[in-house]
Amino acid sequence: MSKVFNYFSEAFEELKSNVTWPEWAEVQRLTIVVALFSVIFALATWGVDELCSRAISGFFKLIKG
């Protein structure tokens, strides 16, 4: 159990002393970029899904006759 405690203690110390944290303005800017990309990617996925759904529907209507 002491190894686990030692690991977390060293990891926390590493985060405090050796990690370069970004400025708050950069965090906000990057958060907006990620949110916009997520929305755009979701819309693109929805569009491809709709296109495939309509293509498959059309195909089955065509072969059903």
Side-chain angles (χ1 to χ4, degrees):
M1 190 66 173
S2 67
K3 287 183 180 182
V4 173
F5 179 76
N6 190 30
Y7 171 78
F8 283 111
S9 175
E10 288 177 5
F12 185 71
E13 186 61 37
E14 179 89 16
L15 286 172
K16 283 189 344 185
S17 61
N18 295 336
V19 173
T20 304
W21 297 99
E23 297 294 322
W24 181 243
E26 185 180 6
V27 170
Q28 289 175 328
R29 183 180 60 83
L30 292 176
T31 300
I32 291 170
V33 168
V34 168
L36 286 174
F37 178 78
S38 297
V39 169
I40 291 169
F41 189 74
L43 289 173
T45 303
W46 172 78
V48 170
D49 182 53
E50 281 294 315
L51 183 68
C52 289
S53 175
R54 290 179 188 205
I56 291 171
S57 258
F59 175 74
F60 280 116
K61 284 182 185 176
L62 183 69
I63 64 171
K64 188 175 180 182

